[in-house]
Structure formats: C-alpha cells, structure tokens
Amino acid sequence: MNLTVTDLSCARGSTQVLADVSFTVAAGEALILRGPNGAGKTTLLRTLAGLTPPLAGRVDCPPDAIAYAGHADGLKAQLTVQENLEFWAGVFASGTITRAVDAFDLEGLLDRRAGDMSAGQKRRLSLARLLVTGRPIWCLDEPTVSLDTENVQRFAAAVERHLDGGGSAVIATHIDLGLPAARSLDVSPFIAKRLRADDPFAQGLDDPFADGVEP
C-alpha cells in the first residue's frame, strides 16, 4: 500500500517547520527520516498520522491506513501486558495478540502491570501494539528509545516482517536498523526559510514535542 506525500508544509504550533516535502513510500518499503534534532521529523510524522493538520499539500493513502508510535508509550499503567494488548486488539478488531507477544518476547510478562515494568519493557509493549492494529503503514518516531541491542534487533525483525507482508514504514531514527528495503530522506533541505532565520530549533535544539505531547 503506497503512501504519497506531495508538496507538504507542516507546522509546530503556530510556526511553520517544513515546506514542500514530497515523497512516495511503496508497499514493502521503509523510509528512514534523517536530520538534526528540531529539524521537523516529529512534526512530519504527526502530520502524516493526522495528529497535526498540514499547512498545505497532500497526504494520500487509504483512510485508517496509518499506525503511529511516538515517544510516549501510551500504555494503561493499571492494566497488565495481556490486558493492554487485548484492549488494543479489541479497538482495532484484529483478533489474536499471539504474534505481537512472540515478536517482542512478552510471554513471561503477560501478567505484569504496565506501570510496574522497566522503561525497556514498556517500550517493547508499546511497539507490540503495532502488530495488533492491522494497519499497513507504520509511522514511528525514535522507536528504539530505551531498547537494548537485543530488543533493537527484535524491533528491526518485526519491521522487516511487516515489509515482507506488503506493509510500509516511515521511521525517524538515528540507528541503522539494517533493513534491506529502506532508503533515507534528510528533512533538512525542507526546513522552512522562516524557521531557518528566526527559530532557535533550527540551530540544533531539541523539539519541544519530542516527548509525544501534542501542541
């Protein structure tokens, strides 16, 4: 399933961040977003996912095709791992959670409350939710935060299986995931001219919404 972006302009709050972004991600392909902190990767992903309205341009893909995972884990702390996954499987009417549990080695944690888990375990559970959405396009913002080397490899394997099954992904990451069907896009050339001149985020400061908080 293709994701086509045409002349997209994006804003962080009231400030334009990116201008005239165009690309296509085909089924079976991953696009890795590159660029310094504050360049607009998070803003672009949130715009693709429909969480932030674009200033101009088009995002073309079928309705409800995109699953988004940001910096916030988005878990229900009082629920167990199994209950969290079953909740999301119910929301998306996707059936079994077995594939998600196996992909992120969560079998031994099914009865543990999400609020009692380590940061790395929470991240694994958060990413496992992608597999119960049934959505073909994944938009992922620094998905390997808090993961050790072994679980980064698990994540990369899950993405590769998703691509092999005809899915696609747009991923902001500084890590080489070793995905054979991946290409890179540096967002720096698309930074809006006003941001280049006036905004301190253009000079390497962290994106204030990098923690997943909506503007």
Side-chain angles (χ1 to χ4, degrees):
M1 183 174 295
N2 289 2
L3 168 67
T4 301
V5 174
T6 307
D7 297 329
L8 190 68
S9 294
C10 310
R12 180 194 296 118
S14 60
T15 302
Q16 183 174 356
V17 178
L18 298 172
D20 301 322
V21 181
S22 296
F23 60 81
T24 296
V25 185
E29 182 180 44
L31 182 69
I32 308 299
L33 301 181
R34 306 292 190 191
N37 290 343
K41 301 185 296 297
T42 293
T43 301
L44 175 56
L45 287 167
R46 290 174 56 80
T47 304
L48 297 181
L51 299 175
T52 301
L55 294 177
R58 294 173 55 88
V59 177
D60 292 312
C61 65
D64 298 324
I66 293 177
Y68 173 78
H71 286 70
D73 291 319
L75 305 174
K76 295 185 177 296
Q78 72 276 19
L79 299 184
T80 66
V81 168
Q82 181 169 341
E83 289 168 341
N84 266 281
L85 289 176
E86 289 178 343
F87 170 80
W88 287 107
V91 168
F92 291 100
S94 59
T96 180
I97 66 172
T98 301
R99 189 165 63 98
V101 170
D102 291 344
F104 288 93
D105 192 30
L106 296 171
E107 179 68 34
L109 298 171
L110 288 176
D111 294 330
R112 186 171 301 182
R113 290 176 65 254
D116 297 331
M117 298 169 73
S118 71
Q121 290 169 337
K122 288 177 182 177
R123 175 54 50 159
R124 284 158 56 197
L125 174 56
S126 178
L127 293 172
R129 294 183 306 159
L130 293 167
L131 279 72
V132 303
T133 66
R135 295 191 171 185
I137 302 171
W138 292 356
C139 288
L140 311 178
D141 193 3
E142 297 293 348
T144 60
V145 170
S146 300
L147 295 183
D148 58 22
T149 301
E150 181 179 6
N151 284 298
V152 169
Q153 293 173 347
R154 281 197 177 94
F155 165 72
V159 174
E160 191 163 355
R161 285 192 295 270
H162 178 65
L163 302 181
D164 287 345
S168 58
V170 183
I171 308 172
T173 181
H174 297 287
I175 293 178
D176 182 1
L177 297 172
L179 299 172
R183 57 189 176 87
S184 295
L185 175 68
D186 186 346
V187 304
S188 300
F190 302 103
I191 295 175
K193 290 181 180 179
R194 182 159 65 88
L195 180 63
R196 291 179 188 273
D198 301 334
D199 198 303
F201 297 113
Q203 297 160 32
L205 300 182
D206 288 335
D207 188 329
F209 304 120
D211 59 0
V213 179
E214 295 189 17

